[in-house]
Amino acid sequence: MERTLCIIKPDGLQNDHAGEIINRIEREDFRIIGMKKSRLSRHAAEHFYAVHKERVFFNDLVNYMTSGPVILIALERENAVSHWRTVIGATDPAEADAGTIRKLHGVNKEKNTVHGSDSPENGMIEISVFFSEQELIEQR
Ligand code: CMP
């Protein structure tokens, strides 16, 4: 079993897509092992996206991710990282495959509705940033 972190970004909540995304998570046979609504602090967003801190879009990305609430979801499944990345589609919604969450709901590269971890190692790290061990419950 592998874990990945899903974040339903501010545009996903603002545009009322959270229920549909959670339904998709269930249909794709992920197990939801943790879930919470949160408003990221600037410090938390800067830390979470630290790998992008030299990129021109970093400041806008942090501003955006702190602009409204998000839903953090810890997911478990076989091949969770690659499967979730296939379900969400490419970073740029315009380039995402048909039927992916970003193609269906994404606005642009910044407002792209959902996050997914990029490796199993980062999946574990990202989940541990937002969830304590006690908050992760494996059974359905
Ligand atoms: P996410 O999967 O959350 O991880 C990094 C985020 O940076 C990515 O989704 C995008 O929202 C954002 N991002 C990546 N490239 C760009 C870009 N060129 N312009 C704006 N935002 C970007």
Side-chain angles (χ1 to χ4, degrees):
M1 280 292 176
E2 197 173 276
R3 292 178 178 183
T4 190
L5 179 72
C6 161
I7 304 178
I8 305 179
K9 298 187 182 188
D11 64 285
L13 272 80
Q14 243 146 39
N15 297 326
D16 294 331
H17 296 312
E20 195 179 323
I21 292 166
I22 292 166
N23 181 258
R24 181 73 181 265
I25 285 169
E26 291 182 330
R27 282 190 287 124
E28 297 287 344
D29 215 22
F30 286 95
R31 201 172 292 181
I32 294 174
I33 60 170
M35 179 157 70
K36 61 174 93 166
K37 185 175 180 182
S38 176
R39 177 115 191 209
L40 299 186
S41 67
R42 197 160 185 90
H43 178 78
E46 284 175 353
H47 174 74
F48 186 75
Y49 284 117
V51 37
H52 298 299
K53 68 173 181 294
E54 307 302 335
R55 310 288 287 271
V56 285
F57 59 79
F58 179 72
N59 217 30
D60 287 343
L61 178 62
V62 170
N63 286 340
Y64 173 60
M65 290 300 289
T66 56
S67 68
V70 298
I71 296 178
L72 303 159
I73 311 177
L75 297 176
E76 194 171 73
R77 186 192 188 281
E78 273 178 31
N79 300 316
V81 169
S82 66
H83 193 81
W84 184 239
R85 287 174 75 81
T86 302
V87 170
I88 68 179
T91 302
D92 185 350
E95 290 170 13
D97 288 341
T100 61
I101 293 172
R102 286 169 169 168
K103 185 64 162 191
L104 289 166
H105 304 306
V107 179
N108 56 38
K109 273 192 234 178
E110 181 181 86
K111 297 182 174 64
N112 63 359
T113 317
V114 273
H115 168 82
S117 309
D118 65 3
S119 69
E121 296 72 29
N122 283 338
M124 299 298 281
I125 292 168
E126 291 178 0
I127 287 171
S128 71
V129 167
F130 295 115
F131 294 91
S132 68
E133 268 308 311
Q134 290 79 0
E135 289 175 311
L136 299 174
I137 298 160
E138 289 186 5
Q139 77 264 34
R140 283 187 205 272

